[in-house]
């Protein structure tokens, strides 16, 4: 059976190394596998669950598309599209919202984190956000969803919603139950300033993350200033459990080099952070800077970026509107 891959990234600016290593790099790996259909979405409907500046949103949608392409996605091999332009997503999200249970959504930790202390003031969209995510995935009979660790709970919810829909409408395996594809080792890239906090677009400190559009100097400087501890680098993985910054930096190096963390530990055991950071800078510049360069070129070519999305929107619409027609029949509309 062929694999069907779906994933999405929010166009909220500041795409960073966590997005790349946790998700986008894998999008490219899947694209290059045989018997695999890939669909990657710029999820702008998800972005507006928190306030966005309309004058910046369009640029961020183009920038996220540029990041996909600069990282190696090819619109001739993968469908790359803009969520809001394909109406089935909003439509199916409403329908699935009637299968999802309040109790399930109440357990979502990302809502709790994002809503903060005053959850009465959070948008309803932020609360039902995981239902829209389930709609994205289930519309395309997705078999695998490559994401970072922070999306695991949303994927479990997607599976629950799909099972409930199938059961409620006695429709067997009409909605396919997707598998999360979360890497074992590098699914949670942490802040460069605090190894216990996730690297995040919304962290006010630029020094906490390497952005995909950083210059060589910025990459080098951020790594140089990254928080470490005072010990030499360890000789085994057990020691890393109490050394979050060492664990994170060694993880980033391993992921950029496509190698197991054990190999990296062997390479640097007993060495100082300053020696290690030089090597980490080199590899980060080698892998990330070409993406940054390509993004800045692509960002100027609106015609090309917009044509990639227009083409992808039409393809995504063809697949998903057919699914929505079947869904309407099942429901009795
Ligand atoms: P978003 O836009 O927050 O993040 C995009 C992807 O990047 C991953 N990621 C990380 N991975 C490792 N370490 C980090 N520090 C890190 N930060 C972010 C995320 O896990 C994600 O894979 N809800 C999703 C978007 C979405 C989606 C979907 C994903 C909407 N519909 C359908 C998959 C399938 C989100 O907000 O991702």
């Amino acid at each position: 059976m062929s694999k069907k891959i779906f994933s999405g990234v929010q166009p909220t600016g500041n795409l960073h190394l966590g997005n790349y290593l946790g998700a986008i790099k894998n999008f490219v790996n899947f694209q290059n596998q045989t018997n695999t259909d890939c669909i990657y979405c710029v999820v702008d409907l998800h972005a507006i669950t928190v306030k966005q500046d309309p004058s910046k949103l369009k640029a961020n949608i183009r920038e996220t598309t540029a990041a996909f392409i600069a990282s190696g996605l090819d619109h001739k091999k993968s469908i790359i599209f803009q969520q809001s332009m394909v109406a089935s997503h909003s439509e199916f999200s409403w329908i699935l919202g009637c299968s999802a249970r309040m109790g399930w959504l109440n357990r979502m930790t990302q809502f709790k984190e994002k809503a903060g202390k005053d959850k009465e003031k959070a948008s309803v969209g932020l609360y039902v956000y995981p239902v829209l995510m389930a709609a994205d995935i289930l519309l395309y009979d997705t078999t695998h969803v490559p994401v970072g660790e922070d999306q695991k709970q949303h994927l479990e919810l997607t599976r629950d919603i799909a099972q409930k829909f199938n059961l409620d409408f006695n429709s067997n395996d009409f909605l396919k139950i997707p598998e999360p594809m979360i890497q074992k080792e590098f699914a949670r890239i942490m802040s460069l300033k605090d190894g216990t906090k996730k690297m995040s677009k919304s962290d006010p400190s630029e020094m906490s993350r390497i952005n995909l559009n950083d210059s060589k100097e910025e990459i080098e400087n951020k790594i140089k200033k990254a928080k470490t501890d005072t010990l030499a680098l360890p000789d085994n993985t057990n020691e890393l459990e109490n050394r979050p910054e060492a664990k994170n930096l060694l993880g980033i190096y391993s992921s950029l080099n496509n190698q197991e963390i054990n190999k990296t530990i062997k390479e640097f055991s007993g060495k100082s952070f300053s020696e290690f950071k030089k090597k980490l800078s080199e590899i980060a510049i080698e892998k990330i800077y070409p993406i940054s360069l390509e993004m800045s070129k692509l960002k100027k070519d609106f015609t090309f970026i917009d044509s990639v999305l227009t083409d992808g929107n039409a393809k995504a619409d063809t697949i998903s509107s057919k699914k929505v027609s079947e869904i309407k029949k099942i429901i009795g509309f």
Side-chain angles (χ1 to χ4, degrees), residues 18-207:
N19 298 126
Y20 178 69
L21 296 179
I24 303 173
K25 187 175 155 213
N26 281 337
F27 299 178
V28 182
N29 291 340
F30 276 115
Q31 171 188 265
N32 298 329
Q33 286 178 11
T34 50
N35 249 340
T36 307
D37 299 326
C38 297
I39 307 184
Y40 299 116
C41 183
V42 180
V43 291
D44 52 357
L45 294 171
H46 279 103
I48 62 162
T49 57
V50 295
K51 196 167 171 29
Q52 298 297 324
D53 176 348
S55 69
K56 293 196 183 127
L57 187 57
K58 184 90 214 166
N60 284 337
I61 291 165
R62 287 186 173 127
E63 176 165 79
T64 304
T65 312
F68 282 176
I69 300 168
S71 302
L73 288 184
D74 175 351
H75 66 289
K76 297 202 184 85
K77 293 188 190 158
S78 298
I79 297 178
I80 299 174
F81 79 103
Q82 183 183 346
Q83 189 186 33
S84 64
M85 295 295 143
V86 180
S88 314
H89 290 251
S90 311
E91 212 176 348
F92 189 36
S93 178
W94 178 263
I95 293 170
L96 283 184
C98 301
S99 288
R101 303 289 96 176
M102 294 278 287
W104 300 351
L105 287 174
N106 284 339
R107 284 199 284 276
M108 295 297 113
T109 53
Q110 197 169 77
F111 173 76
K112 290 180 195 158
E113 277 163 29
K114 287 200 178 171
K117 286 198 195 92
D118 199 355
K119 74 176 195 303
E120 297 292 312
K121 287 208 175 126
S123 72
V124 175
L126 189 66
Y127 183 69
V128 293
Y129 169 120
V131 178
L132 175 60
M133 183 162 160
D136 298 342
I137 296 167
L138 299 172
L139 274 174
Y140 300 91
D141 295 338
T142 304
T143 59
H144 298 82
V145 187
V147 281
E149 243 273 320
D150 60 344
Q151 298 301 318
K152 188 165 176 234
Q153 200 184 27
H154 292 158
L155 290 186
E156 283 159 4
L157 180 79
T158 300
R159 292 165 60 95
D160 289 343
I161 296 175
Q163 269 155 352
K164 180 144 190 348
F165 181 97
N166 287 342
L167 207 68
D168 285 352
F169 294 101
N170 210 359
S171 55
N172 289 321
D173 64 346
F174 172 72
L175 294 180
K176 302 285 174 288
I177 312 298
E179 290 295 328
M181 297 297 292
I182 300 171
Q183 305 170 81
K184 265 194 289 179
E185 280 182 325
F186 318 117
R188 200 172 176 82
I189 303 295
M190 309 309 269
S191 157
L192 299 179
K193 291 270 121 203
D194 178 352
T196 62
K197 251 174 63 188
K198 193 180 75 168
M199 184 178 284
S200 157
K201 294 170 186 174
S202 53
D203 193 316
S205 167
E206 276 290 322
M207 298 304 282

Side-chain angles (χ1 to χ4, degrees), residues 318-332:
T318 304
I319 303 171
S320 61
S321 58
K322 187 162 163 266
K323 189 81 181 173
V324 167
S325 300
E326 291 168 26
I327 290 162
K328 286 181 174 170
K329 264 192 224 141
I330 288 178
I331 293 179

Side-chain angles (χ1 to χ4, degrees), residues 120-331:
E120 297 292 312
K121 287 208 175 126
S123 72
V124 175
L126 189 66
Y127 183 69
V128 293
Y129 169 120
V131 178
L132 175 60
M133 183 162 160
D136 298 342
I137 296 167
L138 299 172
L139 274 174
Y140 300 91
D141 295 338
T142 304
T143 59
H144 298 82
V145 187
V147 281
E149 243 273 320
D150 60 344
Q151 298 301 318
K152 188 165 176 234
Q153 200 184 27
H154 292 158
L155 290 186
E156 283 159 4
L157 180 79
T158 300
R159 292 165 60 95
D160 289 343
I161 296 175
Q163 269 155 352
K164 180 144 190 348
F165 181 97
N166 287 342
L167 207 68
D168 285 352
F169 294 101
N170 210 359
S171 55
N172 289 321
D173 64 346
F174 172 72
L175 294 180
K176 302 285 174 288
I177 312 298
E179 290 295 328
M181 297 297 292
I182 300 171
Q183 305 170 81
K184 265 194 289 179
E185 280 182 325
F186 318 117
R188 200 172 176 82
I189 303 295
M190 309 309 269
S191 157
L192 299 179
K193 291 270 121 203
D194 178 352
T196 62
K197 251 174 63 188
K198 193 180 75 168
M199 184 178 284
S200 157
K201 294 170 186 174
S202 53
D203 193 316
S205 167
E206 276 290 322
M207 298 304 282
S208 69
R209 62 180 166 262
I210 293 175
N211 293 317
L212 291 187
N213 57 7
D214 275 347
S215 67
K216 280 185 191 171
E217 293 70 28
E218 281 167 327
I219 298 174
E220 197 176 3
N221 191 33
K222 286 177 182 179
I223 292 177
K224 203 188 249 169
K225 303 250 169 75
K227 186 175 171 200
T228 58
D229 53 45
T230 51
L231 305 172
L233 286 157
D235 61 6
N236 65 76
T237 44
N238 294 340
E239 209 189 303
L240 288 180
E241 288 322 307
N242 300 318
R243 298 180 63 187
E245 283 79 23
K247 183 177 178 185
N248 188 39
L249 295 178
L250 287 166
I252 292 174
Y253 182 92
S254 311
S255 182
L256 286 168
N257 254 317
N258 298 315
Q259 68 186 31
E260 305 254 322
I261 198 152
N262 277 325
K263 186 160 181 245
T264 309
I265 289 179
K266 259 193 206 141
E267 213 174 316
F268 293 102
S269 141
K271 301 218 162 109
S272 69
F273 272 105
S274 65
E275 203 172 332
F276 166 65
K277 279 179 165 183
K278 267 190 211 130
K279 292 281 177 201
L280 179 59
S281 269
E282 274 169 32
I283 184 81
I285 289 170
E286 183 188 318
K287 300 282 169 143
I288 301 302
Y289 185 60
I291 298 178
S292 172
L293 266 186
E294 187 62 20
M295 272 173 75
S296 51
K297 258 195 249 157
L298 284 167
K299 264 165 56 182
K300 289 181 206 130
D301 194 352
F302 285 2
T303 321
F304 172 66
I305 293 287
D306 291 354
S307 75
V308 166
L309 290 177
T310 307
D311 178 49
N313 294 342
K315 288 180 182 154
D317 187 57
T318 304
I319 303 171
S320 61
S321 58
K322 187 162 163 266
K323 189 81 181 173
V324 167
S325 300
E326 291 168 26
I327 290 162
K328 286 181 174 170
K329 264 192 224 141
I330 288 178
I331 293 179

